[in-house]
Amino acid sequence: MLSFLNDLIWGKILVVVLVPIGLYFSIRSRFVQFRYFGQMLGNLQDAFAKEEGHLSSFQALALSVAGRVGGGNIAGVAVAITLGGPGAIFWMWVIGIVGMATSFFECMIAQVFKTAEPDGSYRGGPAYYMERGLKQPWMAGIFSILLLVTFGFGFNAVQSYTVATSFQETFGLNPNITGFALMVVLGIIIFGGVKRIAEVAEYVVPFMAIGYFLLALFVIVTNLGQIPAVFTTIVQSAFGVKTAIAGGVGTTIMYGIKRGLFSNEAGLGSAPNVAAIAYVKHPVEQGIVQALSVFIDTLILCSCTAFVILLSSVYEPGNDTLGGVTLTQQAMAEHIGWWGQAFITISLFLFAFTSIIYNYYLGENSLNFFSNENKTLFNVFRVLTLTLVIWGAVQDLGTVFGFADVTMGLLALVNLAALLLLSNVGFAVLDDYDLQIKNGQTPVFVGDRFASLAIDPQAWVSEAIASSGLEAADPELS
């Protein structure tokens, strides 16, 4: 059943939906992912600015990178190469580039329709823009349930499986022990709330991402002469010139897009849940920051893993004996010895650790959409999350990835439909930002300039306050 649903959703629907929608957002926005690429990096300094009671833009970036950067970058890339051939990496790049625009719009729209909580914090995400922007609470309810099942349960099992497999391969540790240890540490954090989660991500994510990048860069530099040949292999395999797997180009594209989406989550509707709670003066600012998150995940870190594997002799086209994280580990061990394999294992643990924290938050946000007062419901969810961490540690690769792929595909379809219906809102907000930039102003989003939208007046500054030159998004002034 899982195989049938995966073939239907990924082989016949999402494969022909994801890229065209990303291209649509790219073309109509005049390729916003390129126009504002310099600003993505420049905005990082401003992203550290904090407002009392709110997550900073950088914390939101760190939290979303924590979710995007995980097993998908190490195990997922290896799965894509094993099952789809080297050409799958080319299609991962494609989905990453167009996904930057998709992620930009979903995160920007989530900011527009965020709501202010009594304590001054924010709530938001696809469920909120489906309910407030589209006036479709039933659609928001379906999305919230799928988000809860996909991230709260499915993806956490994937991450736990990846960590347990990695520790067993490197240190010979029983998966049950790994799963239990992971459960204990996670329990301490997730019972501490979203702010503790964000604080952990803010410090762990940059360390793990930079460390992994530097190690992979060392491998690439020491094998620089082979890079052109690797590029050639990737491109030839992507278009069927040099097919390495059964199924040809169609299988290559499917696995590239599937594993690319699993890794960067662009269009999936996950990152907007985090993007919406950040403090920014204009929704576009958070869209720009989140597009950078996709770039870091797919164009940099996934590429690092791909080159480490393809520069080794461990990968053999058509041989699926080695798969997932084991392939990446043995490839790294060939390049720099056993300690490189150990480093991959530790990096993977940190990647998966922060991803599970992030996945838990998304599940919590789904429950918040239905009820934010039922403490028993939240505690039950926390216990189930921790239980599934142990369950995932002892499952097989096909079951874990198959379940996650089905729910992920359904989640993407619901979110992409909402984004298309709200695309004119997104372009109007982007035009507002572009105009203020053109006029030499510091962009400020004024809620009552968009009177036709169901914007929470407590979340965005009013015309009178904007005219006085006061800060935007101050709940007390609003």
Side-chain angles (χ1 to χ4, degrees):
M1 179 60 72
L2 287 175
S3 178
F4 169 76
L5 290 174
N6 268 316
D7 288 342
L8 175 64
I9 295 171
W10 290 98
K12 297 180 174 61
I13 302 175
L14 275 175
V15 165
V16 296
V17 167
L18 271 172
V19 175
I21 288 177
L23 287 173
Y24 167 70
F25 283 124
S26 298
I27 294 169
R28 274 206 61 182
S29 67
R30 304 188 310 283
F31 290 92
V32 66
Q33 67 268 54
F34 300 129
R35 284 199 293 128
Y36 283 121
F37 186 77
Q39 194 167 333
M40 289 179 194
L41 303 175
N43 275 7
L44 283 180
Q45 183 176 355
D46 296 333
F48 284 97
K50 294 185 178 181
E51 187 74 5
E52 188 64 33
H54 301 291
L55 261 65
S56 70
S57 188
F58 180 77
Q59 284 179 317
L61 171 65
L63 195 51
S64 63
V65 171
R68 298 185 202 273
V69 177
N73 300 85
I74 297 178
V77 171
V79 170
I81 292 174
T82 302
L83 302 179
I89 303 305
F90 177 86
W91 296 107
M92 287 185 76
W93 290 338
V94 170
I95 206 66
I97 292 171
V98 300
M100 288 174 71
T102 307
S103 186
F104 172 91
F105 276 93
E106 64 178 348
C107 293
M108 176 183 66
I109 293 172
Q111 271 281 336
V112 171
F113 292 104
K114 69 184 179 184
T115 62
E117 297 289 290
D119 64 357
S121 62
Y122 300 126
R123 284 285 177 187
Y128 291 80
Y129 57 65
M130 291 171 191
E131 181 184 48
R132 300 178 69 88
L134 294 176
K135 306 293 191 299
Q136 301 294 338
W138 64 269
M139 189 179 192
I142 290 174
F143 178 87
S144 294
I145 293 171
L146 286 171
L147 185 70
L148 176 66
V149 173
T150 302
F151 284 88
F153 300 144
F155 279 12
N156 275 343
V158 170
Q159 299 291 354
S160 178
Y161 166 84
T162 306
V163 171
T165 304
S166 176
F167 270 77
Q168 185 177 36
E169 172 71 20
T170 304
F171 304 114
L173 197 62
N174 188 299
N176 287 297
I177 297 175
T178 304
F180 180 78
L182 198 57
M183 180 197 72
V184 172
V185 178
L186 287 167
I188 295 171
I189 294 174
I190 67 175
F191 276 92
V194 65
K195 289 183 180 177
R196 181 183 293 178
I197 292 171
E199 288 166 0
V200 171
E202 182 177 17
Y203 293 102
V204 174
V205 170
F207 168 77
M208 70 180 188
I210 292 171
Y212 182 70
F213 169 73
L214 291 177
L215 186 63
L217 186 63
F218 171 78
V219 172
I220 292 169
V221 170
T222 54
N223 294 274
L224 209 54
Q226 300 178 49
I227 296 298
V230 171
F231 265 113
T232 301
T233 298
I234 290 173
V235 174
Q236 288 180 338
S237 177
F239 294 97
V241 177
K242 189 176 181 180
T243 303
I245 41 84
V249 178
T251 301
T252 298
I253 295 174
M254 182 180 73
Y255 278 103
I257 292 177
K258 187 190 294 188
R259 298 275 65 85
L261 180 61
F262 175 80
S263 180
N264 65 46
E265 300 176 13
L268 201 54
S270 53
N273 292 275
V274 175
I277 64 178
Y279 168 82
V280 291
K281 295 181 180 179
H282 199 287
V284 169
E285 291 179 14
Q286 189 57 204
I288 291 171
V289 167
Q290 294 299 327
L292 176 62
S293 177
V294 175
F295 179 82
I296 292 171
D297 174 271
T298 309
L299 276 301
I300 296 180
L301 294 178
C302 282
S303 297
C304 285
T305 300
F307 281 111
V308 167
I309 292 172
L310 296 176
L311 285 168
S312 74
S313 62
V314 174
Y315 169 69
E316 298 177 6
N319 183 0
D320 59 359
T321 304
L322 288 179
V325 65
T326 305
L327 177 60
T328 309
Q329 285 178 313
Q330 294 200 11
M332 186 64 81
E334 179 183 295
H335 290 299
I336 56 179
W338 180 87
W339 75 269
Q341 180 176 339
F343 182 87
I344 288 288
T345 302
I346 301 302
S347 296
L348 184 60
F349 171 77
L350 292 175
F351 283 7
F353 178 71
T354 53
S355 291
I356 293 174
I357 294 173
Y358 166 83
N359 294 343
Y360 164 78
Y361 168 71
L362 295 180
E364 184 182 273
N365 203 42
S366 299
L367 291 179
N368 265 313
F369 180 75
F370 297 109
S371 171
N372 58 7
E373 297 178 356
N374 192 329
K375 292 183 179 180
T376 302
L377 182 64
F378 280 87
N379 286 331
V380 169
F381 171 61
R382 287 165 180 157
V383 171
L384 284 174
T385 297
L386 296 175
T387 302
L388 279 165
V389 166
I390 295 180
W391 176 81
V394 296
Q395 296 305 305
D396 65 275
L397 181 67
T399 299
V400 172
F401 269 101
F403 175 71
D405 282 343
V406 169
T407 57
M408 176 175 66
L410 294 173
L411 187 69
L413 288 173
V414 175
N415 185 56
L416 290 170
L419 286 179
L420 285 176
L421 293 171
L422 287 168
S423 60
N424 286 335
V425 172
F427 293 123
V429 174
L430 177 58
D431 287 343
D432 175 68
Y433 184 87
D434 286 340
L435 182 60
Q436 292 186 58
I437 290 287
K438 183 179 179 181
N439 292 336
Q441 302 171 318
T442 299
V444 174
F445 185 71
V446 180
D448 43 16
R449 290 179 187 167
F450 295 83
S452 62
L453 304 180
I455 294 175
D456 184 355
Q458 298 299 316
W460 291 107
V461 71
S462 68
E463 184 72 58
I465 294 173
S467 300
S468 69
L470 296 173
E471 289 292 313
D474 186 323
E476 292 183 5
L477 290 176
S478 296

